[in-house]
Amino acid sequence: MTLNFSDKPQHEADALASSFTASYAGVVAFIAVAAEGSFARAADRLGVGRSAVSRSVQKLEAQLEARLFQRTTRSTSLTREGEMFFRNCHPGVQRIVQALEEMRELREGPPKGQLRISATVGFGRRVVAPLLAGFRARYPEIAIDLLLDDRLTDFTSDRVDVAFRDGQLEDSQVIAKRLVPMQMLVCAAPAYVQAHGLPGHVDELSAHGCINYRTVAGRIADWEFKLDGQKRKLVPPSRCSFNDIDLVLESVLRGEGIAQLPGYLVCDYLREGRLVACLAQYAPDDRGHYLCYLSRQQLPTRVRVFIDYMTEAVRALDLLHVSGLSPALSLPG
């Protein structure tokens, strides 16, 4: 519940704010005295002076226009009105205490709770999703919700805890931790190479059967290269295009054409000889795969252990160690 004083006249808002503040302090003091049976012990429990507890209770009694305690020099006991007020307040106070305890456990206790993760479709399907079984086995009390989406993550509206993205996000509030390099490789199947050969230069791409990828924004993705130290982007003529990167890969594996694909997607096929890479000397600068989250401060335990686990697990996959390719593919330190 949100307390909104902005719609009230200033004098009413001030009175309401003052009343709420006095009531809150008074209720806390009242519950402590009722639970401890003593103003002195309640003061020790709350870490304040006995007089402060007494003043808070007196203000509450004045607000309620009811006496809550019978006080003598030897004892403190609840009046009938005090007993009724305690019965009504106690469940709410218990819920507040429980909420505070649960928040503390999220930070300090065993990892548990809901974890919402976002990843690009290709990287999420090929890299992130297969690693989740091991994570769940280690942390069975953490529930995983994985969202595959090539759009930029909106951490707030999508309520995402951790996102995997290609390249750093421009949002300065987002922490981006580099996991592995992201190199783009022009690849073809041996059957295509036997029938059509491979381009030796970027300018020869137009003579080949190129397969393009259509982004979530609806445009054809650029092929990126680096020539004479300068970045160069182009969109070669294509026989077909797909808005799913896995369909682009399948078409290339069938020998239907060539495509520029991310290294994590093709490294196993390159090792197995089912694909060959070309134009490595013109490979663009590494964009990197990043694990992103909103803040280093006050991270719940479930988020911290996920970040640590996935960082180690992704780097251990050896996604980009393919012989004969650019040394830029080495893993980060």
Side-chain angles (χ1 to χ4, degrees), residues 117-140:
I117 306 156
S118 172
T120 53
V121 176
F123 194 78
R125 184 179 292 149
R126 291 301 183 100
V127 178
V128 178
L131 295 175
L132 294 181
F135 177 79
R136 289 196 303 269
R138 183 178 297 185
Y139 302 104

Side-chain angles (χ1 to χ4, degrees), residues 57-119:
V57 171
Q58 287 172 5
K59 288 181 181 179
L60 180 64
E61 288 178 323
Q63 280 183 294
L64 299 176
E65 297 182 353
R67 189 173 181 132
L68 301 176
F69 292 105
Q70 294 283 3
R71 305 171 181 87
T72 68
T73 55
R74 294 188 175 184
S75 67
T76 299
S77 60
L78 289 167
T79 63
R80 292 185 183 276
E81 290 81 3
E83 291 176 351
M84 181 184 70
F85 191 64
F86 182 79
R87 285 196 303 271
N88 290 333
C89 286
H90 193 259
V93 172
Q94 287 295 98
R95 285 195 292 270
I96 292 173
V97 171
Q98 182 181 355
L100 291 171
E101 183 65 19
E102 288 177 355
M103 293 301 294
R104 185 191 66 79
E105 289 182 357
L106 286 178
R107 294 256 311 134
E108 302 173 5
K112 63 180 180 180
Q114 184 82 15
L115 188 64
R116 194 166 225 206
I117 306 156
S118 172

Side-chain angles (χ1 to χ4, degrees), residues 3 7 11 28 39 45-46 60 102 126 182 194 200 212 216 257 292 295 306 309 332:
L3 295 176
D7 296 333
H11 69 280
V28 171
F39 278 77
R45 180 173 179 179
L46 295 174
L60 180 64
E102 288 177 355
R126 291 301 183 100
M182 179 183 177
Q194 185 174 4
N212 285 329
V216 68
C292 306
S295 173
F306 182 78
Y309 180 92

Side-chain angles (χ1 to χ4, degrees), residues 12 39 60 97 128 144 158 194 200 202 212 215 225 227 242 250 261 272 288 320 326:
E12 291 186 23
F39 278 77
L60 180 64
V97 171
V128 178
I144 297 294
D158 295 335
Q194 185 174 4
V202 173
N212 285 329
T215 70
F225 300 95
L227 281 76
F242 301 94
E250 290 174 11
L261 295 162
E272 296 166 2
L320 299 169
S326 167

